[in-house]
Amino acid sequence: MSEGVVTEGAGTARLRRAVLVVLAAFLAVGLGRVLGACTAEQDMTAESPAAVQEEQAEPDAAPTDGDESAASTASSEANQNLTLADLPEGVLISVDELEAMRASDNPPFIVDIRGQNWWMDGHIPEARNIPAGKQFDIRMDEIPRDSEVVVIVPRNEERVAEVWQTLVDAGYDGDLLKALEGGMDAWSAAGGDIQEEEHLGC
């Protein structure tokens, strides 16, 4: 009896060892697959920055509206420190010159870059109000790009150079961009035509 029990115990032990060997083999194969997948993922992650850089370097990629807006804003911000001394000769025009241009067969497009409240309190009758700053960057396309002369009207002479250079950077013809010397202060002092707007609100 004891000999049979010993024989049976030895067989069971061999069976257990065989099972363990098989399990170890399966675990090794599974672990190898997991490690291989991780390595492949790491390789892809390591390659992705180069791929992104290569994609960004494509010269034929067309800019989106967001890109153009960001570029326009960056240009406007870069021009904020410009002064009248930075303007080319001939950009500033007098009140009399603007009056003559308004009375001609080809009147200019007048853009009033003051804040809306200033504009509503009194502006040149046909002027379009596009305040300098972020709103100007957004609404710049309202200003014609054809042969029509554009006259920039500030409150006095603040921000004239900034707006002029921003338009030039956006592709407008600098020779057709003029600015009223002295701004609306000079226009009012000279008795120029002024149109007021009704303030709406509480």
Side-chain angles (χ1 to χ4, degrees):
M1 287 291 292
S2 61
E3 185 178 334
V5 171
V6 172
T7 303
E8 183 178 357
T12 300
R14 285 195 297 272
L15 179 60
R16 287 177 178 174
R17 283 196 298 272
V19 170
L20 290 174
V21 170
V22 172
L23 288 175
F26 275 114
L27 287 174
V29 172
L31 183 61
R33 290 179 177 176
V34 171
L35 291 176
C38 291
T39 301
E41 183 176 354
Q42 290 174 353
D43 292 341
M44 291 177 63
T45 303
E47 291 175 358
S48 59
V52 170
Q53 290 178 357
E54 182 177 353
E55 182 178 350
Q56 291 177 343
E58 285 294 331
D60 296 330
T64 63
D65 292 341
D67 293 334
E68 292 177 351
S69 177
S72 174
T73 301
S75 173
S76 178
E77 291 176 351
N79 295 328
Q80 287 180 359
N81 294 326
L82 297 178
T83 66
L84 291 179
D86 297 307
L87 290 174
E89 186 177 355
V91 170
L92 296 178
I93 61 173
S94 67
V95 170
D96 290 340
E97 287 176 303
L98 179 54
E99 285 279 26
M101 294 169 68
R102 291 176 67 225
S104 69
D105 293 335
N106 296 306
F109 181 93
I110 302 175
V111 55
D112 190 322
I113 63 172
R114 299 174 299 156
Q116 186 179 33
N117 287 335
W118 286 100
W119 181 79
M120 295 182 73
D121 286 340
H123 59 87
I124 299 173
E126 60 272 22
R128 175 80 60 88
N129 183 220
I130 308 180
K134 291 183 178 180
Q135 190 172 156
F136 191 88
D137 297 332
I138 296 171
R139 298 175 54 197
M140 193 189 309
D141 287 341
E142 296 178 24
I143 302 173
R145 292 177 178 269
D146 53 22
S147 59
E148 188 174 17
V149 174
V150 176
V151 178
I152 303 166
V153 178
R155 183 169 65 89
N156 36 53
E157 290 179 345
E158 295 176 358
R159 310 195 78 169
V160 167
E162 171 194 338
V163 170
W164 185 90
Q165 188 61 55
T166 297
L167 287 169
V168 171
D169 292 343
Y172 287 82
D173 187 347
D175 292 336
L176 299 178
L177 296 176
K178 305 297 180 181
L180 178 60
E181 187 173 11
M184 274 303 293
D185 289 351
W187 182 266
S188 299
D193 295 339
I194 292 180
Q195 177 178 329
E196 296 181 359
E197 303 293 333
E198 181 180 357
H199 285 265
L200 300 178
C202 302

